[in-house]
Amino acid sequence: MELFKTYKLWDIEPVRGLGTTLWDRDGKEYTDLYGGHAVISVGHSHPHYVKMLTEQLGRLGFYSNAVQNSLQKELASRLGKISGYDDYSLFLCNSGAEANENAMKLASFHTGKGKILAFRKAFHGRTSGAVAATDNPELRSPFNGCGNVTFAELGDRDGVEKALATGEYAGVIVEGIQGVAGIYEPGDDFLRWLRTACDKYGTMLILDEIQSGYGRTGKFFAHQFPGIRADIITTAKGMGNGFPIGGVLISPVIKAEYGMLGTTFGGNHLACTAALAVLDIIEDERLMENAAKVGEYFRRAFCGEGTGTKQNAPDPALKEYRGRGLMIGLEIKEEYKGLRDRLLFERHFFTGAAGADVIRLLPSLTISEETAGKFVKAWKELTGQ
């Protein structure tokens, strides 16, 4: 039996990692500035993370959700405090797609309405409901075409209000920062307006913080920059530092009934332990502050000393610098296409991509300014600066 052809693969196999460093089978060393799609939040093989998971595995790895699991309660309490949502409840699942699926389901249960408003360029996952809210028709089969999702342009107040005014929408789902699209922010003013519009029309505001959350931007969730609160928040990726776990933070106005949601593996003992270890490290090592600091280092390196980004990217290889903290999109000019491959194969830096013209940086929140400086130096050398 062969593997189903799902991804195009580089001929590189990492076999060991420590912090932001990876080694392949031949012992070749790489710097990881992508974290496996923003998953590695506290670094590879962090000793505290390894210790907690190893000890938990020696006690109990899994039992079903038909019994008490105090680790789930501890995680809910800790996550509520660090995120500022301690009055919300937590549903634990296994992935970001599953979190979004259940978030939209909850909005529909609560409002009794059947439609969801999503945004152009959005990516919310590949399960049936999540992919229906993902703006990429190539990912949707005929089975996924339920017709219950409408797309608006990000920032289009008139289009959003026209849709919501019909009274048919259970929820609006929006990413704190659009990641797969190439690092596009909805804008603080737009998110404040969207919060007000959802309240006006009885629609739940769902914030997909799967890639932009868990301290990546310098705040725990990206939507906290404009100071709003969402009705439902989804998280995954950095939540478990590589161990599969997802979560849905649910407003107290949504009343739970037995049977509304369910999962076999969600919130298992190992997953909760991984998530608790991540919170320990984020707090103990002040990683949100580090994300803001090193993110600012990157911004100044590419944009100069001013406060602008889009309007102030003098680097000759860049069309635009986008993002907050350690969620960064570097849109390169046509003549520099292929730069990502050169960064990997010539300088041994793992980065992400969004199409052919955006390089994404999503490193561990433990990254140092020294490591960031080595990347900037390699970038400038490869682009002839």
Side-chain angles (χ1 to χ4, degrees):
M1 181 182 292
E2 294 183 351
L3 291 172
F4 192 77
K5 289 180 173 56
T6 305
Y7 304 106
K8 292 182 179 179
L9 303 177
W10 281 316
D11 189 21
I12 298 171
E13 183 180 2
V15 296
R16 185 165 64 93
L18 184 63
T20 55
T21 304
L22 293 168
W23 290 268
D24 69 11
R25 284 194 173 278
D26 300 322
K28 192 177 295 181
E29 183 177 311
Y30 298 84
T31 301
D32 184 9
L33 297 188
Y34 193 51
H37 309 296
V39 166
I40 302 300
S41 52
V42 297
H44 297 282
S45 303
H46 191 290
H48 179 68
Y49 178 86
V50 172
K51 180 175 184 289
M52 283 190 65
L53 275 170
T54 302
E55 290 178 352
Q56 181 59 48
L57 187 59
R59 290 191 294 268
L60 180 65
F62 175 84
Y63 204 74
S64 81
N65 282 310
V67 298
Q68 296 285 331
N69 181 348
S70 60
L71 292 169
Q72 293 181 352
K73 295 178 181 179
E74 183 182 356
L75 177 56
S77 177
R78 292 277 306 281
L79 182 54
K81 286 183 174 65
I82 193 172
S83 69
Y85 280 96
D86 53 357
D87 57 333
Y88 279 41
S89 56
L90 176 65
F91 172 71
L92 290 166
C93 54
N94 309 283
S95 69
E98 189 180 347
N100 283 334
E101 194 94 9
N102 283 288
M104 292 184 283
K105 188 177 180 182
L106 278 171
S108 186
F109 269 132
H110 178 71
T111 63
K113 302 173 185 178
K115 288 189 174 182
I116 294 291
L117 184 70
F119 290 94
R120 295 291 175 198
K121 300 181 179 179
F123 185 92
H124 297 293
R126 294 174 182 266
T127 55
S128 192
V131 80
T134 291
D135 186 28
N136 187 342
E138 294 182 1
L139 303 183
R140 294 195 294 272
S141 73
F143 172 72
N144 304 130
C146 61
N148 287 342
V149 178
T150 302
F151 291 95
E153 294 292 334
L154 196 63
D156 179 9
R157 300 187 184 191
D158 291 341
V160 171
E161 184 144 25
K162 183 179 179 180
L164 298 188
T166 65
E168 300 176 320
Y169 287 85
V172 176
I173 186 166
V174 60
E175 292 162 90
I177 298 175
Q178 288 187 334
V180 174
I183 316 297
Y184 289 98
E185 296 184 63
D188 291 354
D189 288 343
F190 179 70
L191 284 180
R192 292 188 193 102
W193 176 86
L194 189 59
R195 173 69 277 175
T196 301
C198 285
D199 290 339
K200 178 179 178 181
Y201 294 107
T203 303
M204 307 300 284
L205 178 58
I206 304 167
L207 256 296
D208 176 344
E209 293 277 9
I210 288 159
Q211 192 171 127
S212 54
Y214 256 72
R216 178 153 297 281
T217 61
K219 291 188 180 290
F220 198 81
F221 293 126
H223 72 268
Q224 292 172 320
F225 281 96
I228 66 166
R229 286 173 72 81
D231 298 304
I232 305 172
I233 304 150
T234 58
T235 182
K237 290 194 184 294
M239 187 175 185
N241 199 53
F243 200 100
I245 184 170
V248 186
L249 283 68
I250 305 161
S251 167
V253 305
I254 301 174
K255 303 305 178 186
E257 295 181 16
Y258 291 118
M260 288 173 70
L261 306 179
T263 174
T264 296
F265 296 104
N268 67 71
H269 296 73
L270 285 175
C272 287
T273 299
L276 286 166
V278 166
L279 292 180
D280 286 345
I281 297 163
I282 287 175
E283 290 183 307
D284 292 347
E285 300 185 11
R286 302 177 65 88
L287 293 188
M288 283 192 282
E289 292 92 330
N290 190 63
K293 182 185 75 170
V294 181
E296 178 63 9
Y297 173 88
F298 274 122
R299 191 196 66 76
R300 288 179 180 273
F302 286 105
C303 300
E305 294 298 314
T307 58
T309 54
K310 293 182 179 181
Q311 300 81 16
N312 186 23
D315 188 288
L318 280 183
K319 281 185 180 178
E320 192 167 276
Y321 179 102
R322 296 190 290 268
R324 267 178 163 147
L326 293 176
M327 189 169 181
I328 299 167
L330 303 170
E331 184 174 353
I332 56 177
K333 296 176 181 176
E334 177 73 26
E335 58 267 34
Y336 291 95
K337 286 184 178 179
L339 181 56
R340 181 177 176 232
D341 284 352
R342 293 190 67 195
L343 284 163
L344 177 59
F345 293 109
E346 296 180 27
R347 300 305 176 95
H348 299 172
F349 286 96
F350 273 102
T351 63
D357 58 353
V358 178
I359 293 173
R360 285 191 288 162
L361 304 183
L362 299 162
S364 163
L365 309 189
T366 60
I367 187 175
S368 66
E369 283 192 12
E370 179 184 6
T371 299
K374 289 178 181 177
F375 173 78
V376 172
K377 182 174 183 289
W379 172 286
K380 292 186 179 299
E381 288 173 351
L382 288 176
T383 55
Q385 300 179 57

